[in-house]
Amino acid sequence: MARGSGKGRRHGRRRDHGSEARFRRYLIAVGVAAVVVAVVIVVAALARGGDGGGGGGPLVVPSPRPAGLAQEGHVLGSASAPVTIIEYLDFQ
Amino acid sequence: MSVLPTIEEEFMLTGKAKLQVRPIAFLGENSGLAAQAAECANEQGSFWRFHDMLYANQGGKGSDAFSREHLQRFAVALNLDTAAFASCLGSGKYASMVADDTNAAQQRGVDSTPTVFVNGKEVGGSLEEVRAAIQEGLPPES
């Protein structure tokens, strides 16, 4: 009886070791998956941040200009204004 | 022009100055596409709203912030006629105009943007320089 009981305990320890090893592998797999997901999220966030508001994120919609300011084609301000400012611009 | 809000308030709203912008394309394909898109918005009387939208959503040289897809998003956000806008942009009808304006600017000595002229004289882009040039161009009684 005593010997038999001893064998049973040894078998139980082997099963415990097997379960612990599987659990450790499970934890490692979960950890690796979490790191991969975190890296993907960070890379996606950096990519979105790098191309400005027009890059698929929320757009910035500017406030309208004052109603009293004339806008005609490419000209802003009164056509009869004595000073003319010309600006060459590149939107990018 | 980063000084525009101040110049707008001090000189344009008071009828002393007007600003004419000339979009050119120095910085790659999307730069030209953005200029063409502004012309397409101009067909719908929305040049300045589109101008402001582009500035508010800039992505820098080489970014895709002004890809066709994103420019179309701007048109949607501004409640433009998006079908007409897409047709205009897709046709490339303003491509040669933007190229011609860019060449003309280069022949005038413009090699970077923004480049500002006040009454025909090139000035630096700081608020003080633009303000001084405008004040110099005003008639004595202003």
Side-chain angles (χ1 to χ4, degrees):
Chain A
M1 284 295 284
R3 190 178 288 179
S5 298
K7 276 186 176 177
R9 277 198 295 275
R10 280 197 297 275
H11 276 297
R13 282 192 200 105
R14 281 193 197 116
R15 274 200 298 274
D16 286 345
H17 287 154
S19 296
E20 283 172 14
R22 278 196 298 277
F23 186 61
R24 272 198 299 273
R25 283 197 296 273
Y26 171 74
L27 285 181
I28 290 169
V30 168
V32 169
V35 168
V36 169
V37 168
V39 167
V40 168
I41 289 171
V42 168
V43 168
L46 287 175
R48 192 161 44 244
D51 63 4
L59 292 180
V60 179
V61 181
S63 304
R65 292 175 184 280
L69 186 61
Q71 301 178 35
E72 184 65 43
H74 294 189
V75 179
L76 193 64
S78 170
S80 60
V83 174
T84 300
I85 307 164
I86 293 177
E87 179 191 6
Y88 290 91
L89 59 84
D90 189 316
F91 288 116
Q92 189 129 347
Chain B
M1 185 161 56
S2 61
V3 303
L4 180 57
T6 307
I7 297 300
E8 196 176 300
E9 187 178 335
E10 291 183 11
F11 298 106
M12 292 185 211
L13 276 168
T14 54
K16 294 175 180 172
K18 58 182 176 290
L19 169 67
Q20 180 179 6
V21 294
R22 298 188 180 168
I24 54 179
F26 279 159
L27 302 176
E29 184 184 349
N30 285 354
S31 171
L33 208 52
Q36 293 174 55
E39 299 303 335
C40 291
N42 190 34
E43 286 187 354
Q44 300 185 41
S46 294
F47 177 85
W48 284 99
R49 290 173 67 214
F50 207 88
H51 164 282
D52 294 347
M53 192 76 176
L54 289 167
Y55 269 103
N57 293 280
Q58 277 179 322
K61 185 179 180 181
S63 85
D64 74 340
F66 294 160
S67 65
R68 288 180 189 275
E69 178 194 351
H70 294 148
L71 293 169
Q72 191 68 27
R73 285 183 70 208
F74 299 166
V76 171
L78 293 173
N79 293 317
L80 300 186
D81 179 338
T82 52
F85 180 85
S87 172
C88 172
L89 192 58
S91 73
K93 64 198 280 189
Y94 290 111
S96 59
M97 186 183 116
V98 171
D100 289 347
D101 287 349
T102 303
N103 289 334
Q106 286 173 322
Q107 284 170 12
R108 193 176 180 179
V110 175
D111 56 6
S112 63
T113 59
T115 295
V116 178
F117 291 83
V118 175
N119 280 353
K121 180 182 170 187
E122 185 173 351
V123 299
S126 73
L127 176 59
E128 292 71 24
E129 288 169 298
V130 176
R131 184 188 273 146
I134 293 171
Q135 285 168 337
E136 187 184 319
L138 288 172
E141 68 273 17
S142 296

